[in-house]
Amino acid sequence: MTRMAIEGLTLRLGSRQFCDKLCLDFEPGQIWGVLGPNGSGKTTLLHTLAGLHSPQDGRVWLAERELAQWPVRERAQQLGILLQSDDSSFPAPVRECAMLGRHPHLEPWQWESAEDWARVDEALERVGLSHIAGRDQRLLSGGERQRLKLATLMVQAPGIWLLDEPTNHLDLHHQVQLLEDLTGEVRRQNQLLLMSLHDLNLAARLCDHLVLLYGDGRVEAGPLAELFESDRLSRLYGHPIRALHDGGQCWMVPG
Amino acid sequence: MSRINPLLVLLLLALLLVVSLVVSLGVGSYARGFADLPALLFGSADSLERAVMLELRLPRALSAMVVGAQLSLAGVMMQALLRNPLADPYVLGVSGGASVAALITLILGFSGFWVAAAAFAGAMINVVLVFGLVSRAGDWSPGRLLLTGVVIASGWGAVVSFLLAVSEGQALKSMLFWLMGDFSHVPAPGWHLLVLLVGLLFAWAVARPLNLVVRGALQAQALGVDPRPLRLGLFLVTSLLTASAVTQAGSVGFLGLVVPHMLRLLIGSDHRWLVPGAALGGATLLLAADTLARTVIAPQQLPVGVITAFLGVPLFLWLLNRNEAQR
């Protein structure tokens, strides 16, 4: 299964420095949570890993090849990203929107097969949109739109999943159910997933590794068990956070 | 969104195009009727009627079809390039540049070929200008492109108004006709047909990537489409199509904006259907409009742009409401 690594990565946007000569290995089977305050570079990091942003310095490796060396279409077969914004003012049925995820797997003149449509229907079923598969995408609510983006990513079926704030607009039920379903599947298939999150307890529930972006160039990364402490998280967000223990579980609540 | 089978719509449009062509050839102030059409078109008898048919009516009908297809195709691609449903082929100033050059030649007393040549040159000057400004900034985002094009188009618009204000008499009337789009002096399409074929081939080859580009550059890139060369290609091919259309018939309005939307309402937003559909629909609509333009108040002729709007507005509103009702 594919692995990813970053080597000497420096990310800057305007005058803000997000990380400096950062080196990290992402192994198959791992679920990473990317945490940090607003504007700390979570999106920039994920975009860099997806090849949508060129870093100031350093390299990103996808398998044995540098990310920049991959042809875009082959890269999209390996690696998929859930973007924060994806909107279109043109009408299109939900089912056709989800089918866009199949694009990298089709030859230039090839049309979608019945098997591709079956994948689309399965993905829509998984995110609970089957009943509105024919609806115009412009009429969807924010949460439904987010689930459609997730379904499109499932149709793309990458080996490496990058999710930029996947819980946006999702209700409690869908946050837990969809992301548990997805992370479970990623672990079973020995794939790799990285997602930026704002909900600390959801991160603890789903992830096994964390990247903490402080927003001033400091970065900490490692197994969840080593980093998930109230003092550290309080420093990360610049806000007091208390740990509440309940049996074996630990809950972080803002103080 | 319940829709009609796209293939069926394309076949119907093709049929409608053939019917429009037959009607267009059969009506007019001279050589009327359909019974003699085959003999006039394919026979060998030398007659005035045959000359009218082959040298005036047929070339004009063919030109209307080519221009209609070009403008609708350019509209589809421009809306995808700018990710904006309100974009039309003229939004980046191609017709503005062409108009200024064409009006100047009209003021100078030229006509026919020279006006067309000047219009094409003007359109190309605009393309180079917009292209130069956008590439110098290195930012091919829809916003930047749109703003640059719109500002330059307004500049051309001001020059056009100035030229109209200082002109009078016969020149003014031919200028107004040119601005609204007019087929009364067109020769057969010739190389413009080649431009249409190139445009059609390009648009169809990039049809599936277009479906992604309307979702934004990042999304397209994430799904395996490099948006930069595609956008550049869209810009150049759209400009060429529009320049060619404007060269033949002046700036026929409305078509390039509305035909893409009509087809979206009929067959959906998949560009693999939309591209051939818009070409067929545009050709049919403009041919029908031109037939009306030269017959409604014959022997007087109307500018075809007036008719496209008269036909297009109610047709479009009906389609829009039909879809609202189906939701």
Side-chain angles (χ1 to χ4, degrees), chain A residues 221-235:
Chain A
L224 178 91
E226 290 174 15
L227 296 176
F228 204 65
E229 308 163 342
S230 55
D231 289 351
R232 193 187 301 274
L233 293 172
S234 304
R235 282 198 302 278

Side-chain angles (χ1 to χ4, degrees), chain A residues 47 72 76 81 83 86-87 90-91 93 96-97 100 103-104 106-107 109-112 134 136 138 156, chain B residues 1 3 79 83-85 204-205 208 211-212 214-215 218-219 221-226 264 269 272-273 327:
Chain A
H47 282 192
V72 273
I81 181 166
L83 296 167
D86 162 37
D87 56 330
F90 295 100
E96 277 181 26
C97 292
L100 292 179
H103 183 85
L106 296 171
E107 296 300 322
W109 289 97
Q110 196 184 352
W111 285 68
E112 298 86 355
D136 183 354
R138 294 172 304 171
Q156 188 184 352
Chain B
M1 292 176 86
R3 289 199 314 260
Q79 288 171 0
R83 295 185 61 210
N84 191 328
W204 216 42
R208 216 177 65 217
N211 292 341
L212 290 167
V214 299
R215 317 275 329 181
L218 279 183
Q219 183 67 69
Q221 217 177 337
L223 284 170
V225 172
D226 191 349
R264 277 197 193 93
S269 289
R272 288 171 296 182
W273 294 112
R327 273 180 183 170

Side-chain angles (χ1 to χ4, degrees), chain A residues 57-222:
Chain A
D57 195 22
R59 301 158 189 219
V60 181
W61 293 89
L62 172 60
E64 304 308 317
R65 222 181 327 170
E66 243 189 277
L67 191 62
Q69 306 297 322
W70 284 77
V72 273
R73 184 161 157 261
E74 281 177 46
R75 188 181 73 199
Q77 293 168 1
Q78 303 285 334
L79 182 153
I81 181 166
L82 180 92
L83 296 167
Q84 270 197 59
S85 60
D86 162 37
D87 56 330
S88 157
S89 340
F90 295 100
V94 166
R95 205 160 167 261
E96 277 181 26
C97 292
M99 185 50 106
L100 292 179
R102 222 45 218 153
H103 183 85
H105 300 280
L106 296 171
E107 296 300 322
W109 289 97
Q110 196 184 352
W111 285 68
E112 298 86 355
S113 64
E115 192 194 329
D116 293 321
W117 285 112
R119 278 173 184 272
V120 166
D121 291 335
E122 189 199 340
L124 290 177
E125 184 74 46
R126 270 174 84 184
V127 301
L129 289 180
S130 298
H131 62 295
I132 48 171
R135 187 172 293 178
D136 183 354
Q137 59 94 8
R138 294 172 304 171
L139 302 177
L140 298 185
S141 75
E144 288 167 340
R145 205 173 293 254
Q146 185 76 356
R147 277 145 63 196
L148 172 56
K149 278 155 62 179
L150 213 50
T152 311
L153 195 60
M154 288 170 175
V155 170
Q156 188 184 352
I160 295 173
W161 303 69
L162 306 170
L163 312 180
D164 195 3
E165 304 207 7
T167 55
N168 273 359
H169 303 291
L170 290 184
D171 59 42
L172 194 76
H173 163 69
H174 282 110
Q175 288 189 14
V176 175
Q177 183 244 319
L178 283 178
L179 289 180
E180 281 205 328
D181 175 44
L182 191 60
T183 49
E185 184 72 17
V186 166
R187 281 206 180 90
R188 270 194 299 283
Q189 306 277 345
N190 203 28
Q191 297 174 331
L192 171 64
L193 186 146
L194 283 95
M195 60 180 155
S196 59
L197 288 169
H198 280 300
D199 184 334
L200 297 176
N201 298 310
L202 197 63
R205 181 176 180 146
L206 299 170
C207 305
D208 42 51
H209 286 72
L210 292 180
V211 180
L212 308 182
L213 295 169
Y214 283 81
D216 54 4
R218 277 183 301 153
V219 179
E220 291 177 306

Side-chain angles (χ1 to χ4, degrees), chain B residues 83-171:
Chain B
R83 295 185 61 210
N84 191 328
L86 294 178
D88 77 353
Y90 305 144
V91 72
L92 297 184
V94 171
S95 74
S99 303
V100 168
L103 295 196
I104 290 175
T105 44
L106 283 171
I107 290 176
L108 295 176
F110 292 96
S111 62
F113 168 79
W114 293 107
V115 179
F120 191 75
M124 285 300 128
I125 288 173
N126 178 82
V127 173
V128 171
L129 199 61
V130 173
F131 179 80
L133 285 169
V134 173
S135 354
R136 251 188 63 176
D139 176 6
W140 278 87
S141 69
R144 178 81 188 212
L145 189 56
L146 187 60
L147 276 178
T148 310
V150 163
V151 166
I152 290 181
S154 335
W156 293 126
V159 180
V160 166
S161 306
F162 171 77
L163 292 174
L164 288 176
V166 298
S167 308
E168 50 192 15
Q170 189 55 40

